[in-house]
Amino acid sequence: MPLKLYFAPGACSLVPHIALELIGQPFDAQLVKMHKGEHRSPEFLAINPAGQVPVLQDGDAAITQIIAITLHLEAQHPQAGLFPQEALARTRALETLAWLNNTVHTTFNRVFKPDAVVEDAAMQTAVREKARQAYAAQMQQLQDKVVTARAAGHDFLNGAAPGVVDAYALTVIRWAQLASLEPEQQWPQLWDYAERVAAHPAVQRAMERERIGLRAKALV
């Protein structure tokens, strides 16, 4: 039975989606229309009671959380290069992955849904703006990581070829545009990197399936 990924276009589920394409083995991709509330349907909640994507179905096991999913995929397909093989490089990639997942993603949530933090409308505006400023600073940090990698002779944060950490970096760079930031102008080296990642055939396949491009329209 092939692996099955539940995803929503442009969401963080893009990360394991790209990882599956990098592996190059057949898998099923199930679109979850979150704008229609499909993530809250009884059928989906039976798979993931948290009502979130991504979910990776591996036989009878439903695996959630990006770090868990991608490490599971790496364990099954060590030859795919989802993470660097050298010990310290792998540790650094996991370090960056955890930062993207726990810090950058959380900041974006406060930009995108400040009502989940506070109820007062004026306070929501303040939360959103503070989070946008923090997100901009995090994009600068991400650019610094890219510049360091390039100085070491690597086109990608993963090394010579893109991996999981690059998939997540691409995702949050797209989100910067949704947050009314302009990475193409504000962080040109970061944008050049995003274009390199997006040009990879495996990444293109995932983005084409999700019907998204590198450029995204501001939502806030």
Side-chain angles (χ1 to χ4, degrees), residues 17 19 23 98-99 105 111 125 145 150 163 169 171 178 190 197 209:
H17 197 167
I23 289 168
W99 173 71
H105 193 156
V111 176
T125 299
K145 291 177 182 291
R150 289 284 276 177
T171 301
L178 301 179
L190 183 62
V197 178
R209 186 177 290 110

Side-chain angles (χ1 to χ4, degrees), residues 85-114:
Q85 296 303 302
E86 191 273 325
L88 182 57
R90 185 176 188 277
T91 297
R92 292 304 187 198
L94 289 170
E95 183 179 60
T96 299
L97 182 65
W99 173 71
L100 290 166
N101 190 65
N102 299 335
T103 301
V104 182
H105 193 156
T106 298
T107 302
F108 178 74
N109 285 344
R110 291 172 181 165
V111 176
F112 194 57
K113 293 184 177 181

Side-chain angles (χ1 to χ4, degrees), residues 59-76:
D60 293 332
I63 305 167
T64 65
Q65 301 298 323
I66 287 172
I67 294 177
I69 291 171
T70 54
L71 288 175
H72 179 74
L73 291 173
E74 183 201 28
Q76 290 184 321

Side-chain angles (χ1 to χ4, degrees), residues 110-124:
R110 291 172 181 165
V111 176
F112 194 57
K113 293 184 177 181
D115 56 319
V117 181
V118 291
E119 294 184 0
D120 179 76
M123 292 184 68
Q124 288 176 18

